[in-house]
Amino acid sequence: MKHAFSAAPVLVILLVWQAAAMIVATPELPSPAAVLAVLWSEAAHGPLLADLGATLARVGICFSLAMIAGSAIGIGMASSPQFGRWFDPWVQLLLTLPAMAVAILCYIWLGMGETAAILAVTLSKLPNVVVILREGARSRDRDLAEMARLFRFSRKSLFFDLMLPELAPYFLAATRSGLSLVWKIVLLVELLGRSSGIGFRLHVYFQLLDIARILAYALSFMLVIQLIEISLLAWLDRRAAHWKR
Amino acid sequence: MLTVEALAKRLGGRDLFRDLAFTLARGEVLGLAGPSGAGKTTLLSILAGLDSDYEGTVRWDGSPRLGMVFQSPRLLPWRTALQNVALAVAGDTAKASAALQKVGLADAGAVYPARLSLGMARRVALARALAIEPDVLLLDEAFVSLDPRSADQARGVVLEAVKARGMAVLTVSHDRPDLERMAGRIVELDR
């Protein structure tokens, strides 16, 4: 019953889309069936899977780099006022700098390579992780920290038994918002300066005005992200809250 | 074992306590009585080394191992009762299990704190403090919200460690009769 309810909006969208495609009857709005056929054919005989793999690899690398560096900086900012004061202007700068500008600047300064693409996406996501983890670390329970100090918790326990579980909701929030942000920026940097990936392919089919392929490639990536959301993030959510009443 | 001289603490522009002096000997159970707001919890924090913003002298003989039962149990909510105790003894689950058994919670090892009553959570906190076999045990209203039978059992476990190992105990409470059930000597902490 629960699955039926969550599938209902998708069915409505598909029906509206199908009806609109039938009414306007133009190649600029292909029907869902036509798009699915293209998707299947591109996956079986075209470059879709290779492009999907390239984009997912970039998403994975940028997301991991931003999460690791952003968490370390955010927790560091909350723990040390001096560190916080030093990093705060940088965080503010990156928060207000448009991802497009970061991507263009990275490509100009570092050349049209993979390093520039990865750096651009990571820098665009970084301040978001920093802010979420900084707030999380600031709201940590001082009573528990005192208890751990008194009972002489080892460094390993302080990290794995105290800090990680305490910050788990913030890691999850950063993961959830980060994943959706990162994949959008990855498509942008691919569109601007890569020769592989979903973003690059969208750019090619945009120039050819091939709407069915544009929709097929966009849809394939959305499906993968949804799959990650439903499986991995939902599992992490449950795992992080298993101790609650 | 512990000497406190001319101890004073100011908080929010007023004296929480001043000129406080007492000693605690090995194997002694000392009670500190005082109304709410008299600074009992703050005093224990100072003695435990968690608060260094005070005037006066706190002198320990050597570096005794301190155990403490805080006013709120301060258990990690994402760890089971057994894991909470084991964390204080470097993961020694046998020792943690024995400590839980002593406070009458042998069957609650796998339970998360959210599913424990306040009284049970306090007993887990006591098990954690005793599991490390401390030289000195600091108790902050440790037996409040325990039913009379559990409170007597908990006091018995503490006194057993006093007798067996010469552990010193400093217990604070607003409830003087509660202190009288256990302490050999009681110091008043006036507001």
Side-chain angles (χ1 to χ4, degrees), chain A residues 41-209:
Chain A
S41 135
E42 288 289 305
H45 315 293
L48 190 141
L49 292 182
D51 283 320
L52 199 59
T55 301
L56 278 175
R58 287 185 188 114
V59 168
I61 292 168
C62 298
F63 174 76
S64 306
L65 287 175
M67 284 298 288
I68 293 167
S71 302
I73 295 170
I75 293 167
M77 285 176 79
S79 314
S80 155
Q82 202 180 355
F83 191 77
R85 275 195 297 276
W86 198 86
F87 262 100
D88 203 44
W90 293 98
V91 174
Q92 292 304 325
L93 179 79
L94 284 172
L95 271 173
T96 49
L97 201 59
M100 173 84 92
V102 178
I104 290 170
L105 288 172
C106 284
Y107 278 137
I108 291 172
W109 288 335
L110 300 175
M112 305 289 278
E114 201 64 56
T115 311
I118 299 287
L119 185 68
V121 182
T122 305
L123 283 178
S124 297
K125 166 64 186 158
L126 190 75
N128 173 263
V129 182
V130 169
V131 170
I132 293 175
L133 267 297
R134 183 188 63 191
E135 295 314 305
R138 277 181 183 164
S139 64
R140 287 185 65 193
D141 189 337
R142 282 187 56 190
D143 285 355
L144 290 183
E146 280 185 357
M147 179 278 295
R149 206 171 122 201
L150 186 105
F151 286 104
R152 300 179 190 174
F153 277 26
S154 64
R155 278 177 179 276
K156 192 178 148 204
S157 280
L158 283 174
F159 185 73
F160 287 106
D161 296 297
L162 188 61
M163 195 175 82
L164 273 189
E166 211 174 353
L167 292 180
Y170 297 91
F171 281 118
L172 272 172
T175 301
R176 205 174 279 281
S177 72
L179 205 60
S180 59
L181 192 69
V182 163
W183 79 260
K184 283 169 191 157
I185 306 171
V186 165
L187 294 198
L188 182 76
V189 298
E190 287 177 349
L191 186 146
L192 280 175
R194 302 307 305 136
S195 52
S196 64
I198 301 288
F200 161 73
R201 208 55 70 181
L202 288 176
H203 184 52
V204 169
Y205 293 130
F206 167 61
Q207 287 174 329
L208 299 172
L209 280 178

Side-chain angles (χ1 to χ4, degrees), chain B residues 52-77:
Chain B
S52 53
D53 179 24
Y54 63 88
E55 286 171 30
T57 306
V58 173
R59 194 170 53 248
W60 289 101
D61 297 341
S63 308
R65 183 80 207 260
L66 301 184
M68 185 165 176
V69 178
F70 298 91
Q71 199 166 20
S72 63
R74 299 197 193 183
L75 301 177
L76 300 182

Side-chain angles (χ1 to χ4, degrees), chain B:
Chain B
M1 179 156 241
L2 167 68
T3 307
V4 173
E5 288 169 341
L7 189 65
K9 170 78 182 177
R10 284 182 72 78
L11 201 67
R14 72 175 185 94
D15 286 332
L16 199 55
F17 48 77
R18 62 181 305 111
D19 290 331
L20 188 63
F22 61 87
T23 56
L24 178 69
R26 191 179 139 79
E28 183 184 10
V29 180
L30 174 66
L32 267 168
S36 296
K40 301 185 295 295
T41 298
T42 308
L43 173 64
L44 289 190
S45 290
I46 290 171
L47 299 182
L50 302 174
D51 183 351
S52 53
D53 179 24
Y54 63 88
E55 286 171 30
T57 306
V58 173
R59 194 170 53 248
W60 289 101
D61 297 341
S63 308
R65 183 80 207 260
L66 301 184
M68 185 165 176
V69 178
F70 298 91
Q71 199 166 20
S72 63
R74 299 197 193 183
L75 301 177
L76 300 182
W78 43 82
R79 293 287 179 264
T80 62
L82 182 68
Q83 288 168 336
N84 264 285
V85 179
L87 277 168
V89 285
D92 188 336
T93 47
K95 217 173 202 177
S97 201
L100 279 177
Q101 194 168 8
K102 273 190 177 172
V103 297
L105 289 175
D107 298 333
V111 181
Y112 285 95
R115 294 186 181 90
L116 294 172
S117 68
L118 182 58
M120 289 167 89
R122 280 182 187 281
R123 282 192 280 159
V124 174
L126 177 63
R128 177 177 62 191
L130 289 171
I132 65 169
E133 297 183 352
D135 301 307
V136 181
L137 180 65
L138 306 174
L139 300 173
D140 190 356
E141 310 265 11
F143 308 115
V144 174
S145 75
L146 293 187
D147 61 82
R149 200 170 139 253
S150 300
D152 280 343
Q153 186 191 21
R155 280 189 206 96
V157 173
V158 172
L159 291 173
E160 194 185 300
V162 170
K163 208 171 162 188
R165 298 191 291 102
M167 179 179 78
V169 179
L170 181 60
T171 174
V172 306
S173 177
H174 65 276
D175 183 5
R176 204 181 161 94
D178 173 50
L179 293 176
E180 282 165 355
R181 284 189 194 100
M182 199 170 134
R185 186 161 62 94
I186 295 176
V187 173
E188 281 289 342
L189 197 63
D190 294 323
R191 244 197 121 158

